[in-house]
Amino acid sequence: MTRLRSVLHADLDAFFVAVECVLNPRLKGRPVVVGGAPEKRGVVAAASYEARSFGIHSAMPMAQAFRLCPDLVRVSGSHAMYSRASRAVFEILGNFTPIVEKVSVDEAYLDMTGTNLVVGRTLDAAEKMRREVRERLRLDLTIGSSQNRLVSKVASAFAKPQGLFDVRPGQEARFLAPLPVKTLPGVGPVTEEKLLGFNLPTLGSLANTETCFLKERFGSYGASLRRRARGEDETPVLPPWERPQEKSIGHEETFPEDTGDDDFLHAKLQALLSAATRRLRKRALLARKVTIRLRWADFVTVSRDFTLPLATDHDGELLKPALELLHRMQTRRTLVRLLGVRLSGLCRGFWQGSLHEVQGSPGRSLVQALDSIRDRYGDSSVQTGEAVRLPPR
Amino acid sequence: MKAKPFLKYARTGGKAAQFTGGSFVDDDSSTTFFLSLHQPRADSEGFQNGDLLAVSSRPDAESGDLVVWWTGASTTLALARVQEDLSLAAVAGFASPVLDSEPVPRVRGVVVGRLRRAEGVS
């Protein structure tokens, strides 16, 4: 099967300890931890594989670690040195693809799609990456490879230490099926406990569960859980220049008086979306996820969200699904006190419209014209027909 | 005479073993197991000698899947690709299954991935 995308997840093995072993080779093969002194209530920041075999793990109190392994070697650690080593590793990774997303000092995603003419087959390139990091820096890199970020992340965890695991295209769901649910990124102890309570111990059992069952128990996260358990993930790998500073952009408003007027709420939603997308455009950002927050007069608050297939900064594309979502959220006969909109899943870029754009839908030039009028004469200088229902500011 | 490639049941260490309870066992009840690939030459699949193939034993192979087939004895394990007409075509230097032979060749599992460790790591 042809690979649609090619994404690597590269993760340095026991990074802090590995750097310490490079600096002091006598530490190699011994149970070593990096962290604060036990008498100062220090905790383990990183542990070598030898230390881990005693049950020692990061965030464990150092005193407890020494109780588990009296021969433990502790080093205080030098974060300046770790940063230096990390920069050197990322310099090597950057030679294979320009699209490297640094997740932390020792972890990155690489989008290798379309690089084979330059660096050869992805797996050969991954092998070369590991070799170069090993030979030049004496550090071990584990790599997971697949068609998306999610599966590559699980694959690299699967391959540790010093491994390269490639999930064949089309086999993502089969690969994940026997793994425990906790191996899925984002499934923490609370979700794991809930899933086990529903007799869903493996990702295969989760993937085969009806979406409506999961939605009832987990809200929109339920549908996402099922998709992810099947190995479906379209999240792009974002290089530094495409990564926004903000995680989300939102607007919300508490009304002067609680309301049950649907037309007013629709107009308000449109105005909030318009303001939020205008902020997106000013920052050259696009959003994929829209969250609507509704608070009723009795202070009961609900949030629901939807995700678009493609990121956008155009409120025209968000309005219809947002109105539908708002409609589905209005399940109570209580007046509404607050309405809010939050745009997330941000990435850098400009909306380009669709090749199959619906005839008559407002295009880029109209949006730009409206933005420039509002910049010059104020937000209320030009409004949509629905917004006349809103009180003047 | 050219040496033929062969597959052997294997166990793996590290996280892969932890994730699966360390029990990639060589019986039909396991859902995923590992086979080590022993082959003298490089092949078009990009496999190398010593690669560990992760094999899902769910019997739902589809056209285009790379599968492991056998006739019931571990010495007969071999790789093939499922064709559009669901026949099996030999790959990576392995022999083609002979359908009218006894015992009848059958699919042991679908290859879902490949694990390659740095030298000297189990």
Side-chain angles (χ1 to χ4, degrees), chain A residues 244-264:
Chain A
Q245 296 289 314
E246 301 96 328
K247 293 261 183 210
S248 66
I249 284 179
H251 282 272
E252 64 180 33
E253 194 172 323
T254 304
F255 308 131
E257 282 176 30
D258 300 340
T259 180
D261 180 348
D262 281 347
D263 290 338
F264 172 84

Side-chain angles (χ1 to χ4, degrees), chain A residues 41-205:
Chain A
R41 298 164 60 85
V43 294
V44 175
S48 68
Y49 287 101
E50 291 80 4
R52 290 182 204 185
S53 67
F54 289 90
I56 296 166
H57 55 79
S58 51
M60 176 182 275
M62 194 60 80
Q64 188 185 347
F66 271 97
R67 278 197 296 276
L68 289 169
C69 175
D71 294 332
L72 195 63
V73 181
R74 184 187 72 81
V75 281
S76 302
S78 158
H79 285 275
M81 195 58 79
Y82 304 151
S83 295
R84 239 176 96 184
S86 173
R87 277 198 299 276
V89 172
F90 277 86
E91 207 179 297
I92 292 173
L93 300 185
N95 292 334
F96 291 87
T97 172
I99 306 177
V100 179
E101 181 177 334
K102 185 174 178 174
V103 183
S104 67
V105 73
D106 59 353
E107 195 184 339
Y109 290 100
L110 294 87
D111 191 336
M112 302 294 288
T113 313
T115 59
N116 35 347
L117 283 177
V118 185
V119 295
R121 284 203 294 205
T122 298
L123 289 180
D124 296 339
E127 199 63 75
K128 206 169 160 202
M129 258 174 234
R130 291 203 310 155
R131 209 166 39 239
E132 277 193 33
V133 169
R134 176 88 199 133
E135 286 172 4
R136 285 171 52 184
L137 306 170
R138 283 179 286 159
L139 297 171
D140 290 318
L141 191 63
T142 288
I143 297 179
S145 163
S146 78
Q147 294 195 115
N148 64 50
R149 289 171 62 122
L150 171 80
V151 177
S152 294
K153 167 96 177 158
V154 179
S156 75
F158 195 79
K160 275 195 168 282
Q162 298 181 44
L164 165 61
F165 191 87
D166 171 52
V167 179
R168 295 180 70 81
Q171 303 299 337
E172 295 81 6
R174 279 199 188 100
F175 161 62
L176 295 178
L179 303 181
V181 285
K182 69 178 178 191
T183 52
L184 194 68
V187 172
V190 175
T191 308
E192 185 196 7
E193 201 182 316
K194 264 180 147 180
L195 291 169
L196 294 177
F198 296 131
N199 196 24
L200 298 173
T202 62
L203 294 177
S205 58

Side-chain angles (χ1 to χ4, degrees), chain A residues 1-15:
Chain A
M1 191 179 279
T2 318
R3 210 173 271 259
L4 299 172
R5 286 166 71 207
S6 208
V7 177
L8 302 180
H9 179 252
D11 198 348
L12 288 154
D13 296 341
F15 177 52

